[in-house]
Short mmCIF file of all heavy atoms in Angstrom, two decimals:
data_model
loop_
_atom_site.label_atom_id
_atom_site.label_comp_id
_atom_site.label_asym_id
_atom_site.label_seq_id
_atom_site.Cartn_x
_atom_site.Cartn_y
_atom_site.Cartn_z
N GLN B 169 1.04 8.20 -14.80
CA GLN B 169 2.26 7.37 -14.84
C GLN B 169 3.43 7.90 -14.16
O GLN B 169 4.28 7.13 -13.65
CB GLN B 169 2.59 7.17 -16.31
CG GLN B 169 1.54 6.40 -17.13
CD GLN B 169 1.93 6.23 -18.60
OE1 GLN B 169 3.03 6.29 -18.99
NE2 GLN B 169 0.86 5.96 -19.42
N GLY B 170 3.43 9.23 -13.94
CA GLY B 170 4.50 9.83 -13.11
C GLY B 170 4.54 9.30 -11.68
O GLY B 170 5.63 9.06 -11.08
N LEU B 171 3.35 9.20 -11.15
CA LEU B 171 3.22 8.65 -9.70
C LEU B 171 3.70 7.25 -9.71
O LEU B 171 4.33 6.81 -8.70
CB LEU B 171 1.76 8.76 -9.22
CG LEU B 171 1.35 10.25 -8.89
CD1 LEU B 171 -0.14 10.20 -8.41
CD2 LEU B 171 2.19 10.83 -7.71
N SER B 172 3.31 6.47 -10.68
CA SER B 172 3.70 5.05 -10.73
C SER B 172 5.19 4.91 -10.76
O SER B 172 5.84 4.07 -10.05
CB SER B 172 3.12 4.33 -11.96
OG SER B 172 1.70 4.37 -11.91
N ARG B 173 5.90 5.83 -11.58
CA ARG B 173 7.31 5.71 -11.62
C ARG B 173 7.94 6.24 -10.25
O ARG B 173 8.84 5.71 -9.73
CB ARG B 173 7.83 6.65 -12.73
CG ARG B 173 7.60 5.99 -14.10
CD ARG B 173 8.41 6.73 -15.18
NE ARG B 173 7.96 8.17 -15.30
CZ ARG B 173 6.93 8.58 -16.09
NH1 ARG B 173 6.29 7.69 -16.90
NH2 ARG B 173 6.61 9.84 -16.15
N GLN B 174 7.39 7.25 -9.70
CA GLN B 174 7.91 7.84 -8.51
C GLN B 174 7.91 6.87 -7.38
O GLN B 174 8.85 6.79 -6.55
CB GLN B 174 7.08 9.11 -8.08
CG GLN B 174 7.59 9.79 -6.78
CD GLN B 174 6.77 11.03 -6.44
OE1 GLN B 174 5.90 11.45 -7.26
NE2 GLN B 174 6.89 11.54 -5.27
N PHE B 175 6.85 6.07 -7.23
CA PHE B 175 6.71 5.08 -6.15
C PHE B 175 6.99 3.70 -6.62
O PHE B 175 6.73 2.70 -5.94
CB PHE B 175 5.33 5.23 -5.50
CG PHE B 175 5.18 6.51 -4.86
CD1 PHE B 175 4.38 7.54 -5.34
CD2 PHE B 175 5.73 6.84 -3.63
CE1 PHE B 175 4.19 8.79 -4.84
CE2 PHE B 175 5.70 8.03 -3.02
CZ PHE B 175 4.88 9.02 -3.61
N GLN B 176 7.70 3.54 -7.79
CA GLN B 176 8.20 2.26 -8.25
C GLN B 176 7.14 1.16 -8.31
O GLN B 176 7.38 0.05 -7.65
CB GLN B 176 9.48 1.89 -7.43
CG GLN B 176 10.55 2.83 -7.51
CD GLN B 176 11.74 2.53 -6.66
OE1 GLN B 176 11.65 1.77 -5.65
NE2 GLN B 176 12.86 3.08 -6.98
N VAL B 177 6.00 1.47 -8.80
CA VAL B 177 4.95 0.55 -8.89
C VAL B 177 5.29 -0.42 -10.03
O VAL B 177 5.33 -0.03 -11.20
CB VAL B 177 3.56 1.17 -9.21
CG1 VAL B 177 2.53 0.17 -9.42
CG2 VAL B 177 3.23 2.07 -7.95
N GLN B 178 5.53 -1.67 -9.69
CA GLN B 178 5.91 -2.70 -10.66
C GLN B 178 4.81 -3.54 -11.14
O GLN B 178 4.70 -4.03 -12.32
CB GLN B 178 6.99 -3.63 -10.10
CG GLN B 178 8.25 -2.88 -9.61
CD GLN B 178 9.03 -2.21 -10.75
OE1 GLN B 178 9.11 -2.77 -11.87
NE2 GLN B 178 9.57 -1.14 -10.43
N GLY B 179 3.80 -3.73 -10.35
CA GLY B 179 2.60 -4.46 -10.72
C GLY B 179 1.42 -3.94 -10.00
O GLY B 179 1.50 -3.29 -8.95
N ILE B 180 0.23 -4.23 -10.49
CA ILE B 180 -1.05 -3.73 -9.90
C ILE B 180 -2.00 -4.91 -9.65
O ILE B 180 -1.90 -5.86 -10.42
CB ILE B 180 -1.62 -2.56 -10.68
CG1 ILE B 180 -1.90 -2.98 -12.15
CG2 ILE B 180 -0.81 -1.36 -10.66
CD1 ILE B 180 -2.69 -1.98 -12.99
N PRO B 181 -2.87 -4.66 -8.70
CA PRO B 181 -2.97 -3.55 -7.84
C PRO B 181 -1.89 -3.46 -6.81
O PRO B 181 -1.37 -4.48 -6.32
CB PRO B 181 -4.35 -3.86 -7.01
CG PRO B 181 -4.45 -5.44 -7.08
CD PRO B 181 -3.87 -5.81 -8.35
N ALA B 182 -1.39 -2.34 -6.53
CA ALA B 182 -0.29 -2.02 -5.64
C ALA B 182 -0.90 -1.12 -4.60
O ALA B 182 -1.52 -0.03 -4.95
CB ALA B 182 0.82 -1.39 -6.27
N VAL B 183 -0.78 -1.47 -3.28
CA VAL B 183 -1.34 -0.57 -2.22
C VAL B 183 -0.18 -0.12 -1.42
O VAL B 183 0.69 -0.91 -0.97
CB VAL B 183 -2.30 -1.41 -1.36
CG1 VAL B 183 -2.69 -0.60 -0.13
CG2 VAL B 183 -3.57 -1.71 -2.12
N LYS B 184 -0.11 1.25 -1.24
CA LYS B 184 0.94 1.85 -0.35
C LYS B 184 0.22 2.78 0.65
O LYS B 184 -0.54 3.61 0.28
CB LYS B 184 1.91 2.66 -1.16
CG LYS B 184 2.71 1.74 -2.18
CD LYS B 184 3.67 2.59 -2.98
CE LYS B 184 4.39 1.84 -4.06
NZ LYS B 184 5.30 0.82 -3.43
N ALA B 185 0.50 2.52 1.88
CA ALA B 185 -0.06 3.34 3.01
C ALA B 185 0.91 4.41 3.42
O ALA B 185 2.04 4.12 3.70
CB ALA B 185 -0.45 2.39 4.14
N PHE B 186 0.38 5.57 3.60
CA PHE B 186 1.20 6.77 3.95
C PHE B 186 0.75 7.26 5.31
O PHE B 186 -0.46 7.30 5.61
CB PHE B 186 1.11 7.90 2.98
CG PHE B 186 1.74 7.66 1.59
CD1 PHE B 186 1.14 6.84 0.71
CD2 PHE B 186 2.99 8.16 1.34
CE1 PHE B 186 1.77 6.55 -0.48
CE2 PHE B 186 3.56 7.91 0.11
CZ PHE B 186 2.97 7.09 -0.83
N TYR B 187 1.71 7.49 6.18
CA TYR B 187 1.42 8.10 7.52
C TYR B 187 2.48 9.22 7.80
O TYR B 187 3.71 8.83 7.73
CB TYR B 187 1.32 7.07 8.50
CG TYR B 187 0.76 7.72 9.92
CD1 TYR B 187 -0.47 8.37 9.97
CD2 TYR B 187 1.49 7.52 11.03
CE1 TYR B 187 -0.88 8.94 11.14
CE2 TYR B 187 1.06 8.13 12.22
CZ TYR B 187 -0.15 8.80 12.30
OH TYR B 187 -0.57 9.37 13.38
N GLN B 188 2.16 10.36 8.20
CA GLN B 188 3.02 11.42 8.47
C GLN B 188 4.01 11.66 7.22
O GLN B 188 5.18 11.93 7.44
CB GLN B 188 3.81 11.19 9.71
CG GLN B 188 2.83 11.12 10.88
CD GLN B 188 3.49 11.01 12.24
OE1 GLN B 188 4.67 10.55 12.34
NE2 GLN B 188 2.90 11.38 13.33
N GLY B 189 3.43 11.57 6.10
CA GLY B 189 4.20 11.93 4.86
C GLY B 189 5.14 10.79 4.29
O GLY B 189 5.75 10.96 3.33
N LYS B 190 5.15 9.63 4.97
CA LYS B 190 5.95 8.54 4.52
C LYS B 190 5.27 7.28 4.33
O LYS B 190 4.18 7.04 4.89
CB LYS B 190 7.12 8.37 5.56
CG LYS B 190 7.98 9.55 5.84
CD LYS B 190 9.07 9.34 6.92
CE LYS B 190 9.85 10.49 7.17
NZ LYS B 190 10.83 10.32 8.25
N VAL B 191 5.80 6.36 3.50
CA VAL B 191 5.24 5.10 3.26
C VAL B 191 5.35 4.26 4.55
O VAL B 191 6.37 4.06 5.07
CB VAL B 191 5.93 4.37 2.12
CG1 VAL B 191 5.33 2.91 1.98
CG2 VAL B 191 5.76 5.13 0.83
N ALA B 192 4.19 3.81 5.15
CA ALA B 192 4.26 3.13 6.39
C ALA B 192 3.95 1.63 6.17
O ALA B 192 4.03 0.89 7.11
CB ALA B 192 3.19 3.68 7.32
N GLY B 193 3.60 1.23 4.97
CA GLY B 193 3.23 -0.20 4.71
C GLY B 193 2.89 -0.34 3.30
O GLY B 193 2.39 0.68 2.63
N GLU B 194 2.98 -1.52 2.76
CA GLU B 194 2.60 -1.76 1.27
C GLU B 194 2.33 -3.23 1.01
O GLU B 194 2.91 -4.10 1.78
CB GLU B 194 3.56 -1.19 0.38
CG GLU B 194 5.00 -1.63 0.49
CD GLU B 194 5.95 -0.88 -0.38
OE1 GLU B 194 5.69 -0.70 -1.51
OE2 GLU B 194 7.01 -0.49 0.26
N PHE B 195 1.60 -3.54 -0.02
CA PHE B 195 1.46 -4.84 -0.52
C PHE B 195 0.99 -4.76 -1.95
O PHE B 195 0.59 -3.74 -2.48
CB PHE B 195 0.47 -5.68 0.33
CG PHE B 195 -0.96 -5.33 0.19
CD1 PHE B 195 -1.80 -5.71 -0.83
CD2 PHE B 195 -1.54 -4.49 1.22
CE1 PHE B 195 -3.08 -5.38 -0.90
CE2 PHE B 195 -2.88 -4.11 1.12
CZ PHE B 195 -3.67 -4.55 0.09
N THR B 196 1.22 -5.83 -2.68
CA THR B 196 0.91 -5.95 -4.14
C THR B 196 -0.02 -7.16 -4.27
O THR B 196 0.25 -8.25 -3.74
CB THR B 196 2.17 -6.07 -4.97
OG1 THR B 196 2.99 -4.91 -4.75
CG2 THR B 196 1.79 -6.21 -6.51
N GLY B 197 -1.00 -7.02 -5.11
CA GLY B 197 -1.89 -8.14 -5.48
C GLY B 197 -3.26 -8.02 -4.70
O GLY B 197 -3.35 -7.23 -3.74
N ALA B 198 -4.20 -8.79 -5.19
CA ALA B 198 -5.55 -8.77 -4.62
C ALA B 198 -5.62 -9.67 -3.39
O ALA B 198 -6.05 -10.86 -3.49
CB ALA B 198 -6.58 -9.15 -5.60
N LEU B 199 -5.26 -9.21 -2.24
CA LEU B 199 -5.33 -9.99 -1.01
C LEU B 199 -6.78 -10.23 -0.56
O LEU B 199 -7.59 -9.41 -0.81
CB LEU B 199 -4.55 -9.33 0.16
CG LEU B 199 -3.03 -9.00 0.00
CD1 LEU B 199 -2.48 -8.39 1.19
CD2 LEU B 199 -2.35 -10.33 -0.37
N PRO B 200 -7.06 -11.36 0.08
CA PRO B 200 -8.37 -11.52 0.66
C PRO B 200 -8.62 -10.56 1.76
O PRO B 200 -7.80 -10.02 2.40
CB PRO B 200 -8.29 -13.04 1.17
CG PRO B 200 -6.89 -13.33 1.36
CD PRO B 200 -6.17 -12.48 0.31
N GLU B 201 -9.93 -10.38 2.03
CA GLU B 201 -10.33 -9.35 2.98
C GLU B 201 -9.66 -9.50 4.29
O GLU B 201 -9.30 -8.48 5.01
CB GLU B 201 -11.90 -9.23 3.17
CG GLU B 201 -12.33 -8.25 4.05
CD GLU B 201 -13.86 -8.15 4.18
OE1 GLU B 201 -14.48 -8.24 3.05
OE2 GLU B 201 -14.38 -8.01 5.32
N PRO B 202 -9.62 -10.71 4.95
CA PRO B 202 -8.98 -10.85 6.26
C PRO B 202 -7.52 -10.32 6.37
O PRO B 202 -7.17 -9.65 7.27
CB PRO B 202 -9.05 -12.35 6.57
CG PRO B 202 -10.19 -12.81 5.77
CD PRO B 202 -10.15 -12.01 4.53
N GLN B 203 -6.77 -10.56 5.27
CA GLN B 203 -5.37 -10.07 5.18
C GLN B 203 -5.38 -8.51 5.04
O GLN B 203 -4.50 -7.82 5.56
CB GLN B 203 -4.65 -10.78 4.04
CG GLN B 203 -4.34 -12.20 4.39
CD GLN B 203 -3.55 -12.83 3.19
OE1 GLN B 203 -3.98 -13.68 2.49
NE2 GLN B 203 -2.37 -12.36 3.11
N VAL B 204 -6.31 -7.96 4.30
CA VAL B 204 -6.42 -6.50 4.13
C VAL B 204 -6.70 -5.96 5.47
O VAL B 204 -6.16 -4.91 5.85
CB VAL B 204 -7.39 -6.18 3.12
CG1 VAL B 204 -7.48 -4.63 3.04
CG2 VAL B 204 -7.03 -6.72 1.74
N ARG B 205 -7.58 -6.48 6.20
CA ARG B 205 -7.97 -6.02 7.56
C ARG B 205 -6.76 -5.99 8.54
O ARG B 205 -6.43 -4.99 9.20
CB ARG B 205 -9.07 -6.84 8.12
CG ARG B 205 -10.43 -6.62 7.69
CD ARG B 205 -11.48 -7.50 8.44
NE ARG B 205 -12.74 -7.27 7.97
CZ ARG B 205 -13.55 -6.22 8.31
NH1 ARG B 205 -13.10 -5.38 9.25
NH2 ARG B 205 -14.83 -6.11 7.83
N THR B 206 -5.96 -7.10 8.53
CA THR B 206 -4.78 -7.15 9.33
C THR B 206 -3.83 -6.09 8.91
O THR B 206 -3.22 -5.44 9.79
CB THR B 206 -4.12 -8.59 9.09
OG1 THR B 206 -5.00 -9.53 9.52
CG2 THR B 206 -2.79 -8.56 9.92
N PHE B 207 -3.59 -5.79 7.60
CA PHE B 207 -2.73 -4.69 7.06
C PHE B 207 -3.25 -3.40 7.65
O PHE B 207 -2.40 -2.59 8.12
CB PHE B 207 -2.76 -4.72 5.60
CG PHE B 207 -2.11 -3.59 4.92
CD1 PHE B 207 -0.62 -3.55 4.94
CD2 PHE B 207 -2.77 -2.54 4.47
CE1 PHE B 207 0.05 -2.47 4.31
CE2 PHE B 207 -2.13 -1.42 3.83
CZ PHE B 207 -0.68 -1.43 3.76
N LEU B 208 -4.54 -3.09 7.58
CA LEU B 208 -5.08 -1.76 8.09
C LEU B 208 -4.92 -1.70 9.54
O LEU B 208 -4.56 -0.57 10.03
CB LEU B 208 -6.58 -1.70 7.63
CG LEU B 208 -6.79 -1.60 6.11
CD1 LEU B 208 -8.32 -1.67 5.92
CD2 LEU B 208 -6.23 -0.34 5.56
N GLU B 209 -5.20 -2.74 10.28
CA GLU B 209 -5.10 -2.60 11.74
C GLU B 209 -3.68 -2.22 12.22
O GLU B 209 -3.51 -1.69 13.27
CB GLU B 209 -5.59 -3.91 12.37
CG GLU B 209 -7.11 -4.06 12.29
CD GLU B 209 -7.60 -5.48 12.55
OE1 GLU B 209 -6.65 -6.27 13.05
OE2 GLU B 209 -8.76 -5.77 12.50
N GLY B 210 -2.63 -2.58 11.34
CA GLY B 210 -1.36 -2.26 11.75
C GLY B 210 -0.96 -0.80 11.49
O GLY B 210 0.03 -0.29 11.89
N LEU B 211 -1.85 -0.14 10.71
CA LEU B 211 -1.65 1.26 10.39
C LEU B 211 -2.40 2.25 11.21
O LEU B 211 -1.95 3.38 11.52
CB LEU B 211 -2.04 1.56 8.86
CG LEU B 211 -1.38 0.81 7.83
CD1 LEU B 211 -2.06 0.94 6.47
CD2 LEU B 211 0.05 1.28 7.68
N ILE B 212 -3.63 1.86 11.62
CA ILE B 212 -4.55 2.81 12.31
C ILE B 212 -4.12 3.08 13.76
O ILE B 212 -3.92 2.12 14.53
CB ILE B 212 -5.96 2.31 12.19
CG1 ILE B 212 -6.36 2.19 10.70
CG2 ILE B 212 -6.87 3.14 12.97
CD1 ILE B 212 -7.65 1.53 10.44
#
């Protein structure tokens, strides 16, 4: 629960992507696979 408070998780599932120690992107809710792919392609 400490991590949830630290990163202000209000609802789940909550996805937060980290790169070089910082949050680089995030979304909340069960997105369909094509949208998840788009999210990942913006990070990699």
Side-chain angles (χ1 to χ4, degrees):
Q169 295 180 19
L171 288 176
S172 299
R173 288 191 297 271
Q174 181 180 349
F175 293 104
Q176 300 178 338
V177 174
Q178 303 295 322
I180 55 173
V183 173
K184 297 181 185 289
F186 290 78
Y187 187 57
Q188 296 183 339
K190 299 177 181 178
V191 176
E194 57 188 311
F195 68 84
T196 302
L199 297 183
E201 183 175 318
Q203 288 182 249
V204 178
R205 284 184 180 276
T206 299
F207 173 78
L208 293 172
E209 286 166 5
L211 297 169
I212 296 170

